[in-house]
Amino acid sequence: MGDIIASRIIISIFFIIVVLGCDSDNSIVGAYKSERPSKVEYATFWITKGAIRSISGQELKLKSDSSYIYKTCGHIITGSWKVDDDRLTLIQESKRWKSDSLNEVDYPFGKEPQGYFDFDIEGDEMVSIFQSSSDGRRMINKLSK
């Protein structure tokens, strides 16, 4: 009887260690939103990341099945996501305008700049830095959980 209890304890401890030791992307699952940064944050972005403009009002929902919904000022983008090291990449599968009238007339989409869908994972924040396609300025998109 004592050997059975001891073996169950050992198996339970082994199972707990395996489960806790597994690297999981589920820690980033959840809802993120970009807010307008303060003047101090703007200065920090400029000094530390070379970014001189910021995006606000965007929402990103990362789901546990590795799918996402990304809402910008004008678009709703869906697809899948993956993590490599501390870098989140969004893989776009569909994109539509928030305004249904634009969807009906097949209004053309602009092309997102390179790096727009790549985020550095910084704790509970996702940070994307890219060149603006309209004026070439470095931009930052910081999404917080």
Side-chain angles (χ1 to χ4, degrees), residues 22-35:
C22 290
D23 185 21
S24 174
D25 294 332
N26 286 337
S27 62
I28 66 166
V29 169
Y32 296 81
K33 188 173 183 177
S34 62
E35 302 285 340

Side-chain angles (χ1 to χ4, degrees), residues 65-135:
D65 66 355
S66 295
S67 67
Y68 73 88
I69 299 173
Y70 190 29
K71 295 180 181 179
T72 69
C73 59
H75 301 118
I76 299 173
I77 304 164
T78 60
S80 60
W81 59 270
K82 67 178 183 172
V83 172
D84 290 316
D85 296 322
D86 287 334
R87 188 111 173 122
L88 169 72
T89 301
L90 303 178
I91 298 125
Q92 178 181 315
E93 294 169 6
S94 74
K95 179 178 182 180
R96 67 180 185 88
W97 292 101
K98 280 186 173 178
S99 170
D100 284 332
S101 61
L102 291 175
N103 291 317
E104 291 174 12
V105 295
D106 198 26
Y107 190 81
F109 294 110
K111 186 175 185 216
E112 284 82 12
Q114 184 175 358
Y116 185 77
F117 290 111
D118 297 320
F119 293 85
D120 290 326
I121 301 169
E122 299 178 0
D124 281 344
E125 296 177 336
M126 305 291 170
V127 179
S128 175
I129 299 175
F130 55 92
Q131 297 285 126
S132 168
S133 56
S134 62
D135 61 12

